[in-house]
Amino acid sequence: MSTIAALPGLVSLVAEGTDNPRADFSDTPLWLSLVKALIIFVYLLVSTLLVIWFERRVIGRMQQRPGPNRNGPFGLLQTLADGMKSMLKEDVRPKAADAFVFTLAPLITATMCFVSFSIMPLAGEVSMFGHTTPFQLTDTPIAVLLVLAVAGVGIYGVVLAGWSSGSPYPLMGGLRASAQMISYEIAMGLSLVAVFLYAGSMSTSQIVSAQSGLWFVVPAFFSFFVYVITMVGETNRLPFDLAEGEGELTGGFHTEYGSMRFAMFFLGEYINMFTVAALATTMFLGGWQAPPGIAAINDGMFNEGWWGLLWFTAKLWMFMFVFVWLRGSLPRVRYDQFMRFGWKFLIPATLAWVVLVAFFRAGQNGWLGGTVDVAGRSFPVVSLALVGIIAALALAGGWMWDARVERREARLHPHVPDEIDPYAGGHPVPPMPGQRLREPSLTAPALTSRPDTEEATRG
Amino acid sequence: MTGTGEQVMFWILGPLAVVGSLGLVFAKKAVHAALGMAMTMIILGVFYLAQEADFLGVIQIFVYTGAVMMLFLFVVMLVGVDSSDSLVETLTGQRWATAVLAIGLGGILGAQVGKATVGQSVGLAAVNAQTGNVSGVAQLIFGRYVWVFEATSALLITAALGAMVLAHRERLGRGPDQKEWSKRRFQEGKHLAGLPAPGVYARHNAVDTPALLPDGTPSELSVSRVLTARDQNLSPSTYTDGEREIERDVREGSER
């Protein structure tokens, strides 16, 4: 019973007041929020127009061809032309389709993708129409969870599209998509837990301000690694675009879609890319804050006001390039391997990582013993002990792995003697590559073969 | 104590939630029913958010709509292509028994809930400002209610393991092999050479086109049950007609 009494005390050890957003919306009237919503909407639409062109051009370069270069300067208006084309195309609905759900599915995808961006801090405090306001639509204590929840609802678009088309390929694509996205959302959520532990909050503005000293990509490097993998899986992009694998599913869940309905899926996919990239920027790369060197110039001049939008956009487009780069260089993964990787490696490894980070954080808060001073800096005993244990385990594991590899090598390539007597076994044997033949001697037993073999061959 | 905005939201979303839950009961297609339920769950989450229970609201949407309902949908989409609802009552009088039990349960629940007295609502604004919403929930879950929480999670894990153990059926004996299948076929005296293969024609063969029996009628047994239930089988007449045309051309050519 004494543990029960002790627990509330443990909970109150957490630094108070980091739960709630740091962003101050007190000077933001309702109309300004609407203006900000409109700005975010336009920002996303323009970014989508640009990124489709960007993707085609960059992939073109990677495949040694120019890419679209006819409409507008450098082909910039190509996406606009494609959009107009899909708007003017005939709207076809298969006879076997479920009419209501068939229309609902693209609507879900196209609307849900915009919602997540409402909590992304695009910049710090800016002055807009005479008001000082943070450049993000809103922030809540659970902002990052909201992104995951909205992504979960967005999956419905894909699944329902697959079901409502009324033919087998889309159904298979929809099933794959739901299984894939749910599995990878688990790993994604787990990878973000380490960031929550470091920031002490799930509000995006708090997470960004907690990174003013050190971006979380350094202490939570494994989380970043897992997040980058899951964000590709979550957005259905190559090498993980199994839901629409052309080779086996002719387009997957959107096989039966055309014209504006298809354009909505297309829009949703690209805005989802921006959402996961923006989340990665906010969680791991310091959000709108300037890169370390530039941030120090002139007392953080580049870290204030509208400059944040520049750094945020630059980091966002870095991830966009990675998406395109992956698509240009990797082939599609096999479905069962992809699922095994998610469930049997990413999720358990991330769980272990989260436990480890929890111990580090507890050590930093001084809950688990004292600190040791090394080279002028004090480190918690627990952290040092854990690092030591992990290093020892890694060393032992590496040694065992090496021994195993050596044993396997020895088994696969048994020792071959330099010389061979071709008649040693009583039957002529050709030499292995690199072997010399020993001259047959007259006393060799092989030439005088056993009588029973002779019998057998004669019979 | 509710603001105007909250009232407007309630009177728009409340009826929608009712429509969704009625859809769950009355929808003809299982997927539509699941959709209605998903909508109701999302609206419940929005209500929690409006009541300043941010964490609860988002978790409601994240877990129930995003994961649990998605798994439901997953199963519903796979099942039900082939199955047709049987309208025969397997247990005699079960409808009446169900109705009596349901009304009884409703009566007990109604009586108990009706007796409850609700105190003055405090709201979460003060707690959210001071402790924070997430920390507040954490303090309750890992503080005052930690044993309840742990016991519930142990129960849920046990239930999940139990479901897995019960649903995963080990094969008791060896399955019949090809030889035994053929012996069984001969004992029964039906389909001695196995089921007929789907249609194979001069220029076409497909799983969705039934084979023709010697008397020219299509064989139901030669196509997949699922395709028949979905009404996706093709008639072989297009191929046989073409074939007849070719035969006629050949005949005419030889007569010339």
Side-chain angles (χ1 to χ4, degrees):
Chain A
M1 282 295 122
S2 60
T3 24
I4 304 178
L7 274 165
L10 191 69
V11 170
S12 65
L13 278 173
V14 186
E16 280 191 5
T18 53
D19 246 26
N20 288 325
R22 194 188 184 82
D24 179 18
F25 291 96
S26 56
D27 192 20
T28 311
L30 184 65
W31 63 265
L32 193 56
S33 288
L34 291 177
V35 168
K36 278 196 278 190
L38 189 68
I39 291 177
I40 290 172
F41 184 69
V42 172
Y43 177 84
L44 281 177
L45 281 186
V46 172
S47 299
T48 309
L49 281 183
L50 282 178
V51 82
I52 296 173
W53 167 83
F54 172 80
E55 174 166 30
R56 295 176 66 178
R57 290 286 287 194
V58 171
I59 284 220
R61 279 299 155 94
M62 286 176 179
Q63 296 168 350
Q64 304 187 344
R65 57 185 173 83
N69 59 358
R70 294 290 147 148
N71 298 314
F74 307 108
L76 264 170
L77 299 181
Q78 178 67 41
T79 319
L80 208 62
D82 286 343
M84 295 308 282
K85 184 194 78 174
S86 61
M87 250 188 271
L88 297 172
K89 269 181 120 176
E90 187 193 352
D91 195 17
V92 181
R93 198 182 69 214
K95 206 165 66 180
D98 184 306
F100 173 65
V101 181
F102 191 73
T103 311
L104 180 71
L107 285 178
I108 291 178
T109 305
T111 47
M112 279 305 143
C113 59
F114 286 102
V115 177
S116 304
F117 240 82
S118 60
I119 53 98
M120 299 294 174
L122 272 65
E125 297 250 304
V126 296
S127 66
M128 213 188 263
F129 306 108
H131 293 274
T132 308
T133 175
F135 196 14
Q136 74 183 101
L137 184 57
T138 182
D139 197 3
T140 68
I142 39 81
V144 180
L145 287 185
L146 185 85
V147 177
L148 294 177
V150 168
V153 177
I155 300 174
Y156 273 86
V158 173
V159 178
L160 292 178
W163 175 78
S164 67
S165 297
S167 63
Y169 281 144
L171 185 69
M172 296 309 292
L175 288 178
R176 271 190 184 189
S178 59
Q180 166 183 346
M181 286 167 148
I182 290 176
S183 337
Y184 273 67
E185 214 176 274
I186 297 172
M188 179 183 257
L190 278 175
S191 75
L192 296 181
V193 170
V195 175
F196 301 153
L197 288 174
Y198 275 112
S201 175
M202 287 187 271
S203 128
T204 44
S205 55
Q206 283 281 6
I207 290 172
V208 170
S209 75
Q211 295 179 75
S212 54
L214 180 68
W215 291 0
F216 284 153
V217 64
V218 180
F221 63 93
F222 186 75
S223 283
F224 182 69
F225 166 73
V226 173
Y227 183 86
V228 170
I229 293 173
T230 54
M231 81 180 188
V232 182
E234 179 77 13
T235 45
N236 265 328
R237 293 274 306 179
L238 262 169
F240 299 149
D241 66 339
L242 302 150
E244 46 192 287
E246 296 90 353
E248 55 244 47
L249 293 176
T250 65
F253 67 93
H254 59 59
T255 304
E256 304 287 357
Y257 280 88
S259 83
M260 210 47 212
R261 292 201 183 101
F262 173 72
M264 282 188 198
F265 278 123
F266 211 60
L267 179 78
E269 180 183 326
Y270 279 94
I271 292 184
N272 274 337
M273 275 163 68
F274 277 110
T275 306
V276 290
L279 197 64
T281 304
T282 309
M283 303 292 279
F284 297 104
L285 295 187
W288 48 263
Q289 296 180 20
I294 299 171
I297 296 172
N298 200 4
D299 263 354
M301 178 181 80
F302 291 114
N303 233 346
E304 275 168 21
W306 290 93
W307 281 105
L309 189 59
L310 175 71
W311 310 127
F312 182 82
T313 311
K315 290 169 191 174
L316 203 63
W317 279 84
M318 201 190 70
F319 278 107
M320 286 299 130
F321 179 74
V322 171
F323 270 121
V324 177
W325 192 8
L326 285 177
R327 183 177 163 184
S329 39
L330 292 178
R332 187 175 296 130
V333 180
R334 217 173 68 195
Y335 186 67
D336 60 326
Q337 289 174 338
F338 173 71
M339 291 303 265
R340 195 186 310 143
F341 180 66
W343 282 100
K344 297 201 171 161
F345 174 70
L346 283 185
I347 292 177
T350 320
L351 263 177
W353 165 251
V354 166
V355 172
L356 195 68
V357 169
F359 272 104
F360 281 148
R361 289 295 294 162
Q364 277 175 359
N365 288 353
W367 298 349
L368 303 170
T371 55
V372 186
D373 289 324
V374 181
R377 291 189 64 184
S378 65
F379 296 97
V381 180
V382 194
S383 308
L384 291 180
L386 278 174
V387 169
I389 290 171
I390 292 166
L393 280 179
L395 211 62
W399 181 64
M400 277 164 69
W401 175 260
D402 260 7
R404 228 176 76 183
V405 167
E406 239 165 61
R407 270 206 305 276
R408 199 172 53 207
E409 280 291 305
R411 205 171 55 240
L412 283 177
H413 306 289
H415 178 69
V416 184
D418 284 347
E419 259 188 1
I420 177 177
D421 179 7
Y423 292 101
H427 204 75
V429 175
M432 298 283 281
Q435 267 185 335
R436 257 194 334 274
L437 279 182
R438 190 185 296 156
E439 288 302 316
S441 70
L442 291 171
T443 55
L447 290 172
T448 56
S449 52
R450 292 199 300 275
D452 56 342
T453 13
E454 227 168 9
E455 201 90 35
T457 43
R458 206 185 299 136
Chain B
M1 292 283 270
T2 44
T4 328
E6 199 180 328
Q7 273 193 356
V8 170
M9 194 203 72
F10 177 80
W11 287 111
I12 292 173
L13 290 184
L16 273 179
V18 174
V19 168
S21 45
L22 287 179
L24 168 67
V25 181
F26 293 112
K28 272 193 191 134
K29 283 186 182 168
V31 171
H32 289 175
L35 269 186
M37 192 165 173
M39 185 174 83
T40 308
M41 281 173 167
I42 291 176
I43 291 175
L44 280 183
V46 174
F47 282 158
Y48 291 145
L49 285 175
Q51 305 275 352
E52 292 176 331
D54 293 336
F55 185 74
L56 197 60
V58 165
I59 288 297
Q60 160 86 18
I61 297 176
F62 186 27
V63 174
Y64 282 93
T65 319
V68 176
M69 272 318 293
M70 189 58 87
L71 290 181
F72 264 69
L73 203 62
F74 200 93
V75 175
V76 161
M77 268 162 46
L78 280 181
V79 184
V81 175
D82 190 17
S83 66
S84 50
D85 284 338
S86 154
L87 294 174
V88 184
E89 270 189 272
T90 41
L91 299 170
T92 43
Q94 57 130 349
R95 285 191 194 182
W96 291 107
T98 313
V100 169
L101 286 176
I103 291 169
L105 183 68
I108 294 172
L109 281 178
Q112 287 304 313
V113 172
K115 258 199 282 184
T117 50
V118 182
Q120 186 67 39
S121 66
V122 182
L124 287 170
V127 181
N128 282 355
Q130 213 151 46
T131 329
N133 189 269
V134 185
S135 301
V137 173
Q139 279 195 13
L140 287 180
I141 291 180
F142 296 109
R144 199 199 294 177
Y145 297 115
V146 66
W147 293 116
V148 183
F149 181 68
E150 293 297 329
T152 314
S153 58
L155 198 68
L156 282 175
I157 290 173
T158 317
L161 275 179
M164 258 175 67
V165 170
L166 290 178
H168 181 79
R169 197 180 53 174
E170 290 282 343
R171 199 179 255 289
L172 289 176
R174 202 171 49 84
D177 59 8
Q178 202 176 3
K179 202 171 180 181
E180 279 158 351
W181 273 116
S182 74
K183 275 182 186 165
R184 192 185 295 179
R185 272 204 300 274
F186 274 84
Q187 266 169 1
E188 287 168 357
K190 266 194 269 175
H191 312 304
L192 296 187
L195 291 173
V200 179
Y201 303 97
R203 285 180 299 174
H204 184 87
N205 65 339
V207 287
D208 62 348
T209 318
L212 293 179
L213 295 174
D215 60 349
T217 52
S219 160
E220 184 85 348
L221 287 169
S222 65
V223 278
S224 157
R225 241 173 346 112
V226 177
L227 291 180
T228 312
R230 276 193 192 154
D231 225 3
Q232 282 178 335
N233 284 329
L234 295 178
S235 160
S237 61
T238 45
Y239 308 115
T240 50
D241 288 352
E243 217 170 318
R244 253 175 232 134
E245 226 165 82
I246 293 171
E247 274 170 13
R248 203 184 56 224
D249 286 355
V250 171
R251 206 168 47 238
E252 276 175 9
S254 62
E255 279 168 6
R256 210 169 282 155

